Structures are given as C-alpha cells and as structure tokens.
Amino acid sequence: MLHTIKNILSNNCPNCHKGKVFKDKSFFFSIGFPKMNENCSHCNNKFEKEPGYFFGSMFVSYALGVAEAIITYVIAHQFFEENFDLRMIPIIAGVILLLSSFNLRLSRMIWIYMFKDYSN
Ligand SMILES: [Zn+2]
C-alpha cells in the first residue's frame, strides 16, 4: 500500500514503476493542462486504455477537491472569529485553483492504479 502511494506520487508507470506517466517536470505544480505520455517509455504500457478511460477520474478529482476544501476550511477557520466568514470562500477557491493541476494528475494516477492489472 505504501509502495503504491509512493509510486503514485512519483508519477511512475503502474506496470513497470520505471517509466513516467506525466510529461511535466513537477508532479505537484505546473502551469497549464497536465500532459500525459501515451505509452510508457520503459515498458510501452498504454496509459489511456480506451477513449474516455479517464472520465471516471473526474470523480476522484472531485473527492480530492472536497477534501482539500475541508482541510483549507479547518485551517482558515483558526484565523477568523466567526464560524463561517465569507472571506474564507476566496481562500478556499484559491487553494482549489492552485491545486487543480495537481488534483488532475493525482486523480488520474489513482485511477490508473485502481484499475491496473494486478495479475502480473
Ligand atoms: Zn512502464
């Protein structure tokens, strides 16, 4: 399990753990839409198994966004007197926006690892 998390955060191919899934230099922050490699440079594993393969990863991305919003709220909450201050909304929105490319990469990585072939 820990091994899988490490591979996901290292952007490693689910098949050989040597090639990279995303082309971007940094897994965590980058400007613009993340670019994926079509095939693994090491084992030639195709990442997008079929068209629309990553459609479901949007739900993973959504769940990540909700979790981050809650964490941001809990942290931001310490700095405000009111239980819910309207000024928290731009803070939460800003954090989600900042993390959006990370969320997209992370959700696709989780998706790939969720449906990878564990038989080999
Ligand atoms: Zn590979």
Side-chain angles (χ1 to χ4, degrees):
M1 186 63 196
L2 262 176
H3 194 69
T4 303
I5 294 169
K6 192 175 162 281
N7 277 322
I8 288 177
L9 292 176
S10 307
N11 186 26
N12 288 339
C13 165
N15 194 41
C16 65
H17 304 145
K18 289 198 172 70
K20 298 292 178 197
V21 178
F22 284 95
K23 284 179 187 168
D24 311 78
K25 277 199 192 75
S26 164
F27 183 71
F28 295 96
F29 291 103
S30 77
I31 313 259
F33 200 80
K35 286 173 219 61
M36 286 182 87
N37 293 313
E38 257 180 57
N39 297 81
C40 175
S41 57
H42 189 81
C43 69
N44 212 32
N45 176 44
K46 195 169 187 290
F47 297 126
E48 189 166 8
K49 305 277 180 221
E50 62 212 84
Y53 178 71
F54 288 111
F55 180 76
S57 72
M58 284 199 309
F59 298 102
V60 179
S61 176
Y62 179 74
L64 287 170
V66 170
E68 285 151 8
I70 292 168
I71 293 165
T72 309
Y73 170 77
V74 169
I75 295 168
H77 180 242
Q78 320 289 325
F79 300 95
F80 293 99
E81 304 239 320
E82 305 281 329
N83 225 359
F84 192 83
D85 193 302
L86 279 179
R87 282 171 295 177
M88 283 186 198
I89 293 174
I91 296 171
I92 293 171
V95 169
I96 300 291
L97 206 68
L98 204 70
L99 291 173
S100 59
S101 72
F102 169 66
N103 282 351
L104 200 139
R105 269 189 286 269
L106 185 59
S107 63
R108 288 192 172 199
M109 289 302 289
I110 292 172
W111 194 252
I112 286 176
Y113 274 82
M114 264 164 64
F115 294 101
K116 87 186 188 99
D117 187 3
Y118 282 94
S119 59
N120 49 26

